Amino acid sequence: MTCCFVNSSIYYIFILHFDNTCIVCNTPFVFQLTLYLGKRDYVDHVDSVDPVEGVLKIDPADLGDRKVWIQLACAFRYGREDLDVIGLSFRKDIWIQHIQLYPDAGHKPTLTEMHDTLLKKAGEQGHPFTFNIPTNLPCSVTLQPGPDDKGKACGVDFEVKAYLAQSADDPDEKIDKKDTCRLVIRKIQFAPDNTGSGQKAELCKSFMMSDKPVFLEASLDKEIYYHGDPIPVTVKIKNETTKVVKKIKVTVDQTTDVVLYSADKYTKSVLCEEFGETVEGNATFEKTLPITPLLANNKEKRGLSLDGRLKDEDTNLASTTIIRGGMDKEMLGILVSYKIKVNLMVSGGGLLGGLTASDVTVELPLTLMHPKPKD
């Protein structure tokens, strides 16, 4: 369970997790707003998303003519938060929904077991709420900051915010930070139960001054791999030339496509391994080469896409974006994809040596995701 407490004169946030029990903090202040959420991760099941069920405890004393609102926003942040102070906003709301909880404006969600548990903690001043996240919104993604970057990281995030205001979204009304209470949540996606067979790519390449080719085939044994698990890449080579394959290089590239505000697309390598396998002329070769792309080996790469994280907790490389038919790509904010490249370093041999050296390369799409947790 997660709780957020706000006092109208002093701003406090306590985020507490303990076996679905909210730990009550002893404090001399009387909090006007206390936000309770049962969890921080909400799963996208492709055809539906877990509802955000929570309770807001409201102390109506000293509210004056202000109302109490709760909102859920999905936003894309593409600049430093401190620039907002000088009038430059680098945050764009992708989707936002407001609910007036006090005075009562008719929001009556169907009460669930989670609501009942949270209402017992909040007491008589608890007000239940439910947000239904649309299926066409992106999952939480964070762009890895550089060593000297400060403030919130760029990326797509979801935030539940309770606040005091006369209207829900009047741009002329200034809302003080001490009158708000916010918690970042994550929208995540797990690998489907039924997956297809792996990808295969092949190439037949001829060389200058040689009438025979080199055949290269690379394949994966399944469609989806889980973060942190080894990925076996099967490589088959049929070398009909007199040239020699000196080594095999396998790389994994992550491509991030920022589609929300521009056609900003860039690729970063997250793995590069060389295997000293030699294939002589008129010979064949077949071997499975294991690779494991990990964030731990890419901590210094600024702008790398990661799965959204809460505060400074550790995370992993971003999961592959799964696009359903008919979806508006711009609504997704950031699209993440991966590909494996298998490259043969072929020497020239003979009198010309390196002058006739060449590479043979094939590419395979790679899908990285998290496994569905066991119930």
Side-chain angles (χ1 to χ4, degrees):
M1 186 178 298
T2 303
C3 309
C4 170
F5 304 90
V6 169
N7 176 262
S8 62
S9 58
I10 298 181
Y11 180 67
Y12 285 87
I13 293 182
F14 299 86
I15 302 174
L16 310 169
H17 306 268
F18 189 74
D19 296 336
N20 280 340
T21 301
C22 179
I23 304 172
V24 180
C25 296
N26 294 323
T27 171
F29 301 105
V30 178
F31 295 101
Q32 280 190 291
L33 301 178
T34 308
L35 176 59
Y36 297 85
L37 295 176
K39 58 183 180 179
R40 303 288 291 277
D41 289 339
Y42 296 85
V43 181
D44 182 346
H45 302 279
V46 180
D47 56 347
S48 65
V49 183
D50 291 347
V52 180
E53 299 169 344
V55 168
L56 184 65
K57 181 179 179 180
I58 302 171
D59 181 357
D62 301 325
L63 290 182
D65 60 349
R66 294 178 300 177
K67 302 178 178 68
V68 179
W69 305 87
I70 188 84
Q71 78 170 33
L72 174 60
C74 171
F76 177 63
R77 182 181 299 279
Y78 52 97
R80 300 204 316 269
E81 189 176 30
D82 56 356
L83 292 178
D84 290 352
V85 177
I86 61 174
L88 296 175
S89 178
F90 288 88
R91 175 186 172 93
K92 180 178 177 61
D93 289 328
I94 300 174
W95 176 87
I96 189 168
Q97 183 179 356
H98 306 86
I99 298 173
Q100 180 182 321
L101 290 183
Y102 188 89
D104 184 10
H107 179 66
K108 303 292 183 183
T110 301
L111 296 184
T112 64
E113 184 178 348
M114 178 62 72
H115 283 125
D116 293 338
T117 301
L118 299 177
L119 285 168
K120 289 178 182 178
K121 298 295 180 182
E124 295 181 355
Q125 294 180 328
H127 295 255
F129 63 86
T130 297
F131 288 105
N132 294 308
I133 302 176
T135 57
N136 64 339
L137 294 183
C139 290
S140 300
V141 177
T142 298
L143 299 183
Q144 181 164 262
D148 299 325
D149 292 342
K150 298 179 181 179
K152 285 188 176 181
C154 298
V156 174
D157 63 31
F158 289 77
E159 182 183 75
V160 180
K161 182 174 77 171
Y163 59 99
L164 309 178
Q166 293 182 343
S167 63
D169 56 353
D170 183 357
D172 296 326
E173 182 179 9
K174 181 168 179 59
I175 301 173
D176 201 307
K177 282 189 175 181
K178 65 183 177 61
D179 294 329
T180 65
C181 174
R182 60 185 71 201
L183 287 172
V184 174
I185 62 174
R186 288 188 294 200
K187 177 174 176 282
I188 58 178
Q189 199 170 47
F190 296 124
D193 294 327
N194 299 318
T195 61
S197 57
Q199 298 281 340
K200 182 173 73 172
E202 52 189 10
L203 178 68
C204 176
K205 183 171 181 178
S206 298
F207 298 90
M208 182 175 62
M209 302 182 67
S210 175
D211 58 349
K212 297 292 184 68
V214 170
F215 294 92
L216 170 62
E217 178 186 300
S219 61
L220 302 174
D221 62 352
K222 58 183 180 179
E223 182 183 13
I224 297 175
Y225 291 88
Y226 301 147
H227 292 286
D229 287 353
I231 301 170
V233 182
T234 300
V235 177
K236 297 180 181 180
I237 302 170
K238 185 178 181 182
N239 183 8
E240 296 184 353
T241 71
T242 57
K243 300 175 181 291
V244 178
V245 176
K246 290 292 188 181
K247 60 183 175 181
I248 303 171
K249 182 168 73 172
V250 180
T251 60
V252 178
D253 290 341
Q254 180 197 78
T255 298
T256 299
D257 190 359
V258 182
V259 297
L260 184 65
Y261 69 94
S262 71
D264 189 1
K265 188 172 184 178
Y266 54 92
T267 298
K268 294 181 180 292
S269 174
V270 296
L271 178 140
C272 181
E273 291 189 21
E274 292 186 355
F275 300 87
E277 307 288 350
T278 300
V279 184
E280 300 291 339
N282 298 305
T284 59
F285 171 88
E286 181 175 348
K287 190 172 183 179
T288 297
L289 308 175
I291 59 171
T292 309
L294 296 170
L295 174 59
N297 302 325
N298 295 276
K299 287 286 191 179
E300 303 301 318
K301 292 183 179 177
R302 187 176 186 270
L304 201 64
S305 290
L306 316 177
D307 274 345
R309 54 184 170 185
L310 305 173
K311 286 193 168 287
D312 295 323
E313 70 177 20
D314 204 7
T315 182
N316 48 261
L317 296 171
S319 297
T320 302
T321 303
I322 304 299
I323 303 177
R324 294 181 291 274
M327 293 184 68
D328 182 358
K329 286 187 177 182
E330 289 191 2
M331 286 287 287
L332 294 176
I334 296 176
L335 306 179
V336 179
S337 61
Y338 294 89
K339 64 182 176 183
I340 296 174
K341 292 195 293 187
V342 178
N343 177 261
L344 305 183
M345 313 286 284
V346 182
S347 70
L351 296 176
L352 295 179
L355 293 177
T356 57
S358 185
D359 290 353
V360 182
T361 305
V362 294
E363 297 182 357
L364 293 166
L366 170 66
T367 301
L368 279 178
M369 299 190 75
H370 288 287
K372 185 178 295 184
K374 295 180 180 180
D375 295 333

